[in-house]
Each structure stands twice: as structure tokens, then as C-alpha cells.
Amino acid sequence: MDKFVIKGGRRLTGEVSISGAKNAAVAILPAVILSDEPCVIENVPSISDVVISLRILEEMGAEVTPAGHDAYRIDPTKITKCCVPYETARKMRASYYFLGALLGKFNKARVSMPGGCPLGDRPIDQHLKAFTALGADYTLSQGMIDLKASKLTGNQIFFDVVTVGATMNAMLAAVKAEGLTVIENAAKEPHIVDLANFLNSMGANIMGAGTDVIKIRGVKHLHGTTYAVIPDQIEAGTFMVAIAATKGDAIIKNVIPKHLESITKKLEKIGVNIEQFDDSIRVWVDSPLVKTNIKTAPHPGFPTDMQSQIAALLTLAEGTSIITENIWDQRFGYVDELRRMGADITVNGKVALIEGTGKLMGAPVKACDLRAGAALIIAGLAASGITEIEDIYHIERGYDCMEGKLRALGADIEKVSVPDKPAAKEAKKSSVNRAADNHQPAAAAAV
Ligand code: EPZ
């Protein structure tokens, strides 16, 4: 198992460039299945969720070949299988996008119930609502979801909750359905718009992505395309917070400032200076950080995927901050680990009360999910002394070479391999070859 070892107290300065968006890439790669010709996808982040997605495509029979830096040529015309097995699908949440893509292309799909970060209850009822509205039948047995449709017909889909995943899956299943599909109460995240733009670049007819009503007119044929994934809003936000936590001064390149608005506004309230340029921002701190209150919400609200990171920053701010997590039941897993570093945080249900102590001390800690891991890195960078972070595979699912980018900004962070403890070795074996550690698709391995 690998761990990060961080010697805190170094200011982050200089420049960092943001990679492609994880939550866009993991939807766009399955969406290639819908094309009748090869596609080239650019600005793909080197993260384990992408490795798994590419491997699933290869296992189905698609041809995946590198096409330059962070780019892949994918030929879906050779796909022969419409199934995503348990041992692969369980490794990430986004495996459920293969449901929508396979159903949209072949009128059938068989995918294991998805995995992903342990954030509490993560139902898929709204995904199934969308698929059945379009004419599919589903069965759930032995942890597998089976979808079948004699044909897919456009329909009205009104989501009971705002859901990124189900909005994406509804688009994937509807792009070739006969007639008009109207998705209401749709999610509006940047990665929703990115998927719609990708599908339209293949000849789909999708209007309204980014608003809460998306209209899709089914088309018979989707052609090949070359498409670049948008920059990662959450990676950019994570670096904004890390620079602020170390009282640094740095430029974050390859961003879309508009996507960062809610994060920028909150950081400015905390006392962080942010200057925006066309595709970059400067972040610096020249005064004490002050408390603020955060309520997570669907886009354009404050992203739940930034909640852990900003909590780490607020432990350094003067005063009492309140964080309300409105999306996930259990997204405070990082709190116990921050407490080990001297943070004073009280959690009651959806609300965390943070007494800013102004300082943190290095300690051995564990990442329990992707963004919790990011929060611990931020805390370790700001803390005095050494912080060792275990279970960093969570972090590597969603951040492209985090330690390399931080080192380039002046951080003292190393990735260290430690021999698996017997229990951990068993756990690793039972996780059936975690794709990112043991198996990589030929293409990705060549990167
Ligand atoms: C996506 O998860 C992201 N993952 C998550 O990011 C992110 O936290 C989440 O959207 C919210 O923005 C990917 O894109 C791979 P949802 P998803 O469907 O699609 C409820 C990260 O850190 N719901 O928008 O699973 C659900 O319980 C990860 O990058 C239903 O009730 O989230 C939740 O309360 C973590 N029924 C709310 O909707 C459903 O059928 C939002 O979930 C689906 C969702």
C-alpha cells in the first residue's frame, strides 16, 4: 500500500495546471459506445477511474489506443459484449454510465451495482425511473442490473431529486430514442454540459444542458468526433484551498473561472484573494483567515465535492464556522482524522461546527474517500510537523499526479510504498485486483 508523507509549513507558490475533469471523463468515455465510428478523446486525466473505464471498454471489445498526451482513440464498432462484470464495476460509481450508453446503443445492458465513495445511501431509483420512462424493463439480481428494451421512445422524465448521475444516464439512453425526451429537474453541473456537448459533437440533438430542463430529439446515427474534456472544477477548487491553507501565492492554469464561481465567492469571504484571467486564476493570502458558513447544494451552489477541503481550511480560520452537507448522508468521514491533527470539530447529523484553532499538528491519518483524502493533504500541508496519509488509492481515483503537482508548487510531499500488512494484503486480494493497482488496459499502461 502507498502513503503520502508530508512535511507541513511550506507556502505553495508558482504555477499549476489543472487536468481534465474526472466526473466528465467517466461519463464521456462510456458515451463513445453510442458512436458508429471511432472517436478521439483529449485532456483525459490520468486517474484510476479512467483506467477502469478504459479497461471496461476494452473488455467489451472496443479498441483503445493512445493518441498523444492524455488522449485516446476509441473504436466502439468492435464491441461484442453488453456486460460490465462485478469485479470491475464495483470499483467506481461511474460504472453505471455504461448502463445508459449500452441501453442507448444496443437496447440492452447488464452492469453490476456501482461502487464509489462511501457517502451513505446512494440509491439508483432515478436512473431506473429514466430508463423505464424510455421503454426499458429492468431486473436486479445477484448485484447485477439487467436492462432490456424492444425499442426506446422519447418521454417526459421528471427527477424527484437533482441527480448528476441519473441526468447523465437519461441523456445517454435518450440520444437515439425515437422522438422527444424532456428531462425536468435536471442537474446543471459543468460535467453535465460537457457530456451534452460531446454527444452533440457526434450528431446528437440535445438542448438546454446546464439548465433544469433538457430536451433531446432522438437521432438514428452518431458519427465519430474528436473532443477535449473540460478542466476539472473540483481539482481546481482543491488547489485554490491548498494555496490558501499554506498562505501561498500561486497561479492555477487551465481552468474555466465561471465553473469556480461558488468556490471563489466562499474563499473571498474567508479572506482569500482571487484574481481571474481568461483561463487561469491567481490565489493568494495576505491577511488572517476568518470564519464563514457553507451549505452544499447542486450546481451552481457550493459543490459537495469541495466540502471536505474547505472544512480543512476553516480549521485554520478565526471563529466558529458551520458546514451543512445537504447532498450526502455521510460526508464527514474526514472529521475524526482532522481531530487527530488538533482540529476542533463537532458533527451533529448534516451539520459540522468548526472552531478555528489557527493551527494543526502533523499526525498519521487515513483517507476514507476521495475528497476526504484531499482534505487531509490540505491539512498536512498547513500543519506543523509530519503527516502520513494512508489509503491514498482513494485520492488517486480522482486526482492526476497530485503529489507531483504539489511538489512543483514547493510542497514537501513524497509518495512512499509500505509493505502490505497481512490484513491489508487479504483486503487487497478480496478486492479482486483493484484495476488501478494490478491491471491496466494496454492503452493506459502505455501512457
Ligand atoms: C456524482 O455522484 C459525482 N460522482 C459525485 O462526486 C458528486 O458528489 C455527486 O454527483 C453530486 O454532485 C460522479 O460524477 C462519478 P447524484 P452521483 O446522483 O451521480 C440522490 C466525487 O467526489 N439520488 O447527483 O452518484 C443521492 O442519494 C464524487 O467526485 C437518489 O436519491 O450523485 C444524493 O443524495 C463523490 N436517487 C443526491 O441524489 C438516485 O437514483 C445526488 O446524487 C440518484 C441519486
Side-chain angles (χ1 to χ4, degrees):
M1 299 280 227
D2 295 339
K3 65 182 176 183
F4 285 142
V5 179
I6 301 171
K7 186 170 181 306
R10 310 273 288 261
R11 292 180 66 240
L12 297 187
T13 60
E15 289 186 353
V16 62
S17 189
I18 299 303
S19 301
K22 158 178 116 65
N23 291 345
V26 295
I28 287 170
L29 291 173
V32 172
I33 291 169
L34 290 156
S35 171
D36 297 325
E37 295 165 352
C39 294
V40 173
I41 311 298
E42 299 173 337
N43 201 35
V44 179
S46 295
I47 57 177
S48 54
D49 275 11
V50 162
V51 170
I52 297 167
S53 301
L54 293 172
R55 198 184 99 176
I56 291 172
L57 287 167
E58 283 184 312
E59 285 179 346
M60 285 177 175
E63 207 172 78
V64 177
T65 45
H69 181 64
D70 285 351
Y72 296 91
R73 180 184 183 276
I74 301 167
D75 181 355
T77 60
K78 301 183 171 64
I79 286 178
T80 53
K81 282 198 295 184
C82 292
C83 170
V84 180
Y86 172 70
E87 65 274 11
T88 321
R90 65 190 291 276
K91 289 184 176 52
M92 62 176 191
R93 187 87 197 145
S95 47
Y96 58 25
Y97 292 137
F98 286 93
L99 281 169
L102 289 167
L103 180 67
K105 178 67 174 282
F106 300 111
N107 285 356
K108 63 179 180 178
R110 178 172 165 73
V111 179
S112 161
M113 287 292 282
C117 292
L119 304 174
D121 186 23
R122 297 189 79 171
I124 61 164
D125 58 308
Q126 302 297 300
H127 298 246
L128 299 174
K129 175 177 188 174
F131 297 144
T132 48
L134 296 170
D137 296 314
Y138 72 87
T139 55
L140 300 177
S141 67
Q142 274 109 34
M144 299 298 286
I145 307 161
D146 271 296
L147 293 172
K148 279 191 180 57
S150 50
K151 69 179 277 199
L152 294 171
T153 309
N155 202 345
Q156 195 96 10
I157 301 168
F158 187 93
F159 285 129
D160 305 333
V161 292
V162 176
T163 150
V164 168
T167 302
M168 300 274 219
N169 253 334
M171 285 199 285
L172 292 168
V175 279
K176 298 187 75 174
E178 194 176 282
L180 174 66
T181 294
V182 180
I183 303 170
E184 294 187 85
N185 201 22
K188 300 181 269 192
E189 273 69 6
H191 28 291
I192 300 275
V193 178
D194 208 26
L195 175 64
N197 289 341
F198 169 65
L199 292 168
N200 283 341
S201 76
M202 289 200 285
N205 184 344
I206 302 173
M207 310 284 282
T211 75
D212 54 4
V213 179
I214 300 176
K215 291 186 178 169
I216 302 166
R217 283 181 174 72
V219 295
K220 290 210 176 317
H221 169 66
L222 291 174
H223 54 71
T225 186
T226 294
Y227 190 83
V229 174
I230 54 169
D232 194 314
Q233 162 204 39
I234 304 302
E235 184 192 17
T238 302
F239 275 97
M240 292 167 80
V241 172
I243 294 160
T246 61
K247 297 195 171 20
D249 183 345
I251 304 279
I252 304 176
K253 297 173 17 181
N254 190 32
V255 298
I256 300 174
K258 176 86 183 139
H259 291 170
L260 305 174
E261 254 170 15
S262 61
I263 303 166
T264 298
K265 285 197 171 46
K266 278 299 173 186
L267 288 175
E268 287 174 335
K269 273 192 75 179
I270 296 171
V272 181
N273 303 293
I274 294 163
E275 187 177 0
Q276 293 187 6
F277 307 98
D278 288 347
D279 61 355
S280 61
I281 52 172
R282 178 192 171 205
V283 179
W284 77 100
V285 171
D286 54 15
S287 59
L289 301 176
V290 295
K291 67 173 177 65
T292 193
N293 296 335
I294 303 277
K295 287 187 170 65
T296 64
H299 192 77
F302 189 85
T304 174
D305 296 346
M306 282 298 304
Q307 187 257 94
S308 321
Q309 299 92 306
I310 205 141
L313 181 67
L314 290 169
T315 67
L316 304 166
E318 288 163 15
T320 306
S321 298
I322 302 171
I323 292 185
T324 308
E325 172 54 60
N326 291 313
I327 308 292
W328 298 111
D329 305 337
Q330 287 157 28
R331 195 161 209 172
F332 292 122
Y334 62 88
V335 168
D336 276 343
E337 302 305 302
L338 287 182
R339 286 183 182 133
R340 292 167 56 79
M341 300 177 73
D344 179 351
I345 305 176
T346 314
V347 174
N348 185 352
K350 316 183 353 169
V351 178
L353 219 58
I354 301 175
E355 298 297 343
T357 57
K359 61 183 183 315
L360 293 170
M361 296 157 294
V365 291
K366 264 189 189 193
C368 63
D369 67 60
L370 165 58
R371 308 303 174 181
L376 296 176
I377 289 178
I378 290 164
L381 292 169
S384 55
I386 304 284
T387 299
E388 298 195 353
I389 304 173
E390 290 192 358
D391 293 352
I392 60 171
Y393 61 87
H394 286 291
I395 302 169
E396 293 175 327
R397 282 191 46 218
Y399 287 97
D400 184 345
C401 193
M402 185 75 153
E403 77 276 12
K405 291 181 178 178
L406 287 168
R407 262 203 305 278
L409 288 171
D412 182 345
I413 178 173
E414 290 300 325
K415 179 156 79 168
V416 173
S417 290
V418 290
D420 284 356
K421 301 183 189 85
K425 208 171 271 180
E426 276 317 303
K428 190 167 173 181
K429 252 190 269 168
S430 67
S431 72
V432 189
N433 302 329
R434 189 177 296 121
D437 296 342
N438 305 321
H439 294 275
Q440 299 216 359
V447 169

